[in-house]
């Protein structure tokens, strides 16, 4: 009599091998999806920023400065019509809450006149009453950025934005960057474009200018 072994199926080792391959494939796909989503958010944030800047500049084209347009955008103008016009300036891609605008990363967006101290290098604009202001410029800040978001937003290329006149960038309150034309001959190493090593750090405990895990803030100032 001849005995035949007709066992079918897979051994435990084979099954574990297949499972390992499946897990690796799923993890790889998950990584690709996560990277694609991150890239989408960065792209959306770049577009949000440039579209908002363009809207403000166009809205203020016939004004002496940016004060009234900033009030319109922030909804603080006395006239209801102006408030509605201000809302039209804001791109639809921004989230809106009772506390203001929300960027693609979920952080707050502020639109204002630029801070006076340590930022403005020119002489400003003399008003009719003799006072000097810098209302010929405006500032947009993205708050609540993670370290990676701060680094990537800081590295945005402004050299090809011919329709937008960037004046300066401030990272986390006291790190200032200017185009060479605005530094008035200064030899400080803070001229645009921003150097990646400055925002990422150089190691040995140097976290760079985007030095917080969360709640980093970047402010862009435009002419």
């Amino acid at each position: 009599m001849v005995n035949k072994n007709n066992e079918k199926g897979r051994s435990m080792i084979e099954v574990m091998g297949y499972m390992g391959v499946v897990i690796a494939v799923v993890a790889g796909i998950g990584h690709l999806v996560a990277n694609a989503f991150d890239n989408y958010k960065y792209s959306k944030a770049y577009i949000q920023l440039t579209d908002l800047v363009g809207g403000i500049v166009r809205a203020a084209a016939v004004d002496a400065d940016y004060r009234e347009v900033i009030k319109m955008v922030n909804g603080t103008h006395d006239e209801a019509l102006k408030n509605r016009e201000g809302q039209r300036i804001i791109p639809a891609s921004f989230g809106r809450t009772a506390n203001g605008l929300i960027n693609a990363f979920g952080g707050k967006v502020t639109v204002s006149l630029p801070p006076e101290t340590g930022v403005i290098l020119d002489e400003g604009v003399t008003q009719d009453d003799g006072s000097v202001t810098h209302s010929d410029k405006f500032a947009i800040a993205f708050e609540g950025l993670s370290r990676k978001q701060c680094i990537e937003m800081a590295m945005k290329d402004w050299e090809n934005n011919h329709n937008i006149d960037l004046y300066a960038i401030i990272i986390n309150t006291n790190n200032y960057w200017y185009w060479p034309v605005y530094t008035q001959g200064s030899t400080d190493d803070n001229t645009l474009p921003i150097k990646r090593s400055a925002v990422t750090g150089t190691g040995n405990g140097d976290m760079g200018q985007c030095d917080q895990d969360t709640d980093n803030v970047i402010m862009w100032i435009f002419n």
Side-chain angles (χ1 to χ4, degrees), residues 68 106 142 148 161 193 219:
E68 290 302 308
F142 277 27
K148 181 180 178 182
N161 290 88
M219 176 179 285

Side-chain angles (χ1 to χ4, degrees), residues 124-207:
V125 177
T126 303
Q127 306 298 315
D128 293 338
D129 61 2
S131 63
V132 177
T133 70
H134 295 286
S135 54
D136 59 327
K137 298 176 177 61
F138 67 95
I140 297 175
F142 277 27
E143 303 177 13
L145 299 174
S146 71
R147 176 170 158 76
K148 181 180 178 182
Q149 291 163 356
C150 176
I151 292 169
E152 294 305 319
M153 291 302 292
M155 296 305 301
K156 174 174 166 52
D157 180 13
W158 290 99
E159 293 183 283
N160 295 321
N161 290 88
H162 301 297
N163 297 323
I164 295 176
D165 189 5
L166 177 70
Y167 176 80
I169 298 176
I170 309 171
I171 302 173
N172 285 330
T173 306
N174 55 6
N175 300 297
Y176 308 116
W177 293 85
Y178 306 92
W179 292 117
V181 68
Y182 296 129
T183 57
Q184 300 176 337
S186 170
T187 59
D188 293 339
D189 191 26
N190 63 342
T191 55
L192 290 167
I194 291 176
K195 301 168 184 64
R196 181 170 284 272
S197 61
V199 290
T200 61
T202 56
N204 297 323
D206 176 17
M207 292 289 288

Side-chain angles (χ1 to χ4, degrees), residues 7-21:
E7 290 184 3
K8 296 181 179 180
R10 305 294 182 185
S11 69
M12 182 62 70
I13 294 176
E14 288 177 311
V15 171
M16 291 178 65
Y18 291 139
M19 289 179 63
V21 171

Side-chain angles (χ1 to χ4, degrees), residues 34-56:
N35 283 342
F37 186 61
D38 280 348
N39 290 336
Y40 164 75
K41 288 197 293 185
Y42 290 123
S43 178
K44 182 177 180 180
Y46 296 152
I47 293 171
Q48 283 181 328
L49 179 59
T50 53
D51 285 352
L52 181 56
V53 174
I56 292 173

